[in-house]
Amino acid sequence: MNMWGIIFFNWHIRKETMSNNNLNLLYETLYNHYGPQYWWPGDTTFEIMVGAILTQNTNWTNVEKAIKNLIDADALSLEVINKMEHDRLAELIRPAGYFNVKTKRLKAFTEWLAQNAGEDLESLKSYSLSSLREQLLAVKGIGKETADSILLYALGMPTFVVDTYTYRVFTRHQLIEPEADYDELRDFCMWNLEEDIQLYNEFHALLVMVGKNHCKPKPKCQGCPLEHLPHEIEMDF
DNA sequence: GACCAGGCACATC
DNA sequence: GATGTGCATGGT
């Protein structure tokens, strides 16, 4: 995809910042400041998938408590979650919040997983990225961010994960217009970066890091490693 | 007590 | 198709 393609399809992305220099500069600045993030936290492919669902709109420390409960109950497996009563599973994941909603989502996901991969999660990699992404999005409770997190961090497939921090950092640094939606941000990143799974992995994790520390809903950006980059600090979100 | 956190589906207009 | 709302715990 060339530059004109990007401008044509992504009218919410500013032309003057269309070169990949700004995006790479932002990445390098974050990496030089924070170093590697070693994402995703999780010991197994299945744990990463579960974590991606549990962390929806939720602080990661709460997700850790829920995952620990699952491990302690010997319940962090496809088969056990599939068979477990709703109320029992909800009780285990209670610390992650929205526990009734997330119980349904986890079960919808493990049901899909059982039908499409069984215990052989690696077999999912035989699908193309776009095909697998579509299948995941068809599961109730798996939205774009969760699907991309599963694809990138659990399965090592080359897709960029966009989240609230990505949006906030990119709008505040004027890389995209506030009206840009999920797919426009994802396309923007994937068109302007080398297709590199480790780069996608690290970049998203670094955006979460800087977002947590500095890029709050109400700007408090003093001390941010990105403060010398173009930045509308007074912008009100 | 208010705000925030690694979303998503669904109802309503 | 845009916008609003429910879902919930736990840390700061």
Side-chain angles (χ1 to χ4, degrees):
Chain A
M1 185 62 68
N2 61 27
M3 180 84 76
W4 293 109
I6 296 168
I7 293 167
F8 180 79
F9 287 115
N10 288 299
W11 53 282
H12 290 135
I13 296 168
R14 296 190 176 195
K15 290 181 206 172
E16 65 267 27
T17 57
M18 195 62 68
S19 84
N20 64 16
N21 293 340
N22 289 320
L23 203 53
N24 282 308
L25 176 61
L26 198 137
Y27 171 74
E28 285 164 17
T29 304
L30 289 175
Y31 188 86
N32 289 337
H33 187 85
Y34 291 115
Q37 299 299 300
Y38 306 109
W39 269 36
W40 182 290
D43 292 334
T44 66
T45 301
F46 186 70
E47 181 179 334
I48 293 169
M49 291 171 164
V50 169
I53 292 170
L54 293 180
T55 198
Q56 290 169 354
N57 206 35
T58 298
N59 190 305
W60 182 255
T61 57
N62 287 12
V63 176
E64 286 180 322
K65 297 177 203 301
I67 289 178
K68 182 176 186 305
N69 285 347
L70 290 171
I71 292 172
D72 290 347
D74 206 18
L76 190 56
S77 80
L78 169 57
E79 193 179 3
V80 174
I81 288 179
N82 242 344
K83 287 181 180 170
M84 190 174 278
E85 292 290 322
H86 175 105
D87 289 351
R88 169 71 175 141
L89 182 56
E91 197 52 40
L92 290 173
I93 66 167
R94 172 182 279 271
Y98 307 113
F99 48 82
N100 283 314
V101 171
K102 287 178 179 175
T103 295
K104 289 179 190 166
R105 292 178 182 178
L106 269 182
K107 280 183 161 292
F109 175 68
T110 53
E111 188 178 334
W112 173 85
L113 211 49
Q115 288 172 0
N116 290 275
E119 296 292 339
D120 183 15
L121 301 184
E122 295 295 305
S123 68
L124 292 171
K125 294 182 182 177
S126 63
Y127 291 105
S128 70
L129 174 64
S130 59
S131 164
L132 190 53
R133 192 169 188 264
E134 270 185 36
Q135 291 186 62
L136 284 167
L137 290 174
V139 178
K140 285 272 186 283
I142 307 287
K144 290 174 179 174
E145 184 188 337
T146 308
D148 285 326
S149 296
I150 289 170
L151 291 165
L152 177 65
Y153 288 108
L155 297 172
M157 297 176 84
T159 185
F160 201 91
V161 181
V162 172
D163 64 3
T164 53
Y165 293 128
T166 319
Y167 174 81
R168 206 179 291 157
V169 173
F170 282 17
T171 50
R172 212 161 286 173
H173 289 274
Q174 304 168 59
L175 284 164
I176 55 153
E177 300 288 352
E179 294 78 14
D181 64 17
Y182 186 100
D183 286 323
E184 285 176 317
L185 261 81
R186 177 173 176 265
D187 290 347
F188 174 64
C189 293
M190 293 178 71
W191 275 329
N192 285 293
L193 296 168
E194 295 295 313
E195 185 182 296
D196 181 334
I197 292 162
Q198 192 52 41
L199 171 63
Y200 292 173
N201 176 324
E202 205 69 76
F203 203 165
H204 173 68
L206 286 164
L207 285 165
V208 172
M209 174 62 96
V210 74
K212 278 182 177 173
N213 287 314
H214 297 288
C215 217
K216 301 293 184 182
K218 292 181 181 175
K220 297 177 186 173
C221 301
Q222 292 82 2
C224 176
L226 302 175
E227 66 184 344
H228 67 283
L229 298 180
H231 197 176
E232 286 197 358
I233 198 165
E234 300 301 329
M235 197 179 285
D236 186 22
F237 289 97

